[in-house]
Amino acid sequence: MSVVKINVLTVPPAMRETLEARFAGRAGMVEKADGFEWFELLRPLEGTDTYLVYTRWRSEEDFQQWQSSMAFSEGHRAAGAQTAPPAHGHPGGVPSGAPAGAPAGAPGGHGGPAASGATLWSFEVVQSAAPAAG
Ligand code: HEM
């Protein structure tokens, strides 16, 4: 069964647009990762102020492999940058193998100006459904 990894981002109201713009311009590396199944950026409507970055993977190992890969660092360069817009190749990105959900401002540049905090939630899919064909 697949695993779901949700990165919970604390985003000050004034930074929402910046965050969404960053995701709109994201590297698109995750699509190429082995075992990657789904990604959604979820904007809160009510009940919470946090954005959810929903990802689904074939297995825990596939997720771990992506997280310690160059593709992950590449996809998070701007997330750790201290200035916007970040220059390509800014050294402030999330380093390869960085602990998930590390506090904002941790060494290595976790939490740029858009998200002030991040927490990783893990789930396994026990049941799922899709619309019936026809
Ligand atoms: C450690 C703290 C983290 C922060 C502050 C953060 C924030 C961000 C931001 C702002 C972006 C947009 C691209 C950019 O600006 O570089 C991004 C991309 C992304 N994040 Fe994170 N992120 C973190 C860790 C994680 C983790 C643990 C996951 C796993 C669920 C994740 C999943 C993703 C995905 C799938 C993308 C799109 C990457 C691509 O297109 O290849 N992030 N993140």
Side-chain angles (χ1 to χ4, degrees), residues 4-68:
V4 168
K5 298 286 178 171
I6 297 175
N7 200 30
V8 184
L9 297 179
T10 308
V11 185
M15 297 309 292
R16 283 185 169 206
E17 238 175 272
T18 305
L19 181 91
E20 292 189 20
R22 285 193 171 185
F23 270 93
R26 74 191 169 81
M29 302 288 285
V30 73
E31 283 91 331
K32 296 177 198 126
D34 201 32
F36 168 78
E37 294 182 346
W38 202 258
F39 157 84
E40 276 165 0
L41 174 64
L42 305 179
R43 176 204 289 151
L45 285 178
E46 57 181 0
T48 182
D49 284 336
T50 50
Y51 276 72
L52 302 183
V53 183
Y54 176 106
T55 64
R56 201 183 70 203
W57 300 84
R58 182 176 52 197
S59 70
E60 176 71 30
E61 293 67 42
D62 288 314
F63 169 71
Q64 294 297 341
Q65 209 160 33
W66 171 70
Q67 235 204 325
S68 54

Side-chain angles (χ1 to χ4, degrees), residues 72-82 89-96 98 106-111:
F72 179 84
S73 319
E74 193 66 30
H76 284 88
R77 276 187 202 283
Q82 296 305 309
H90 191 288
V94 176
S96 173
H110 285 81

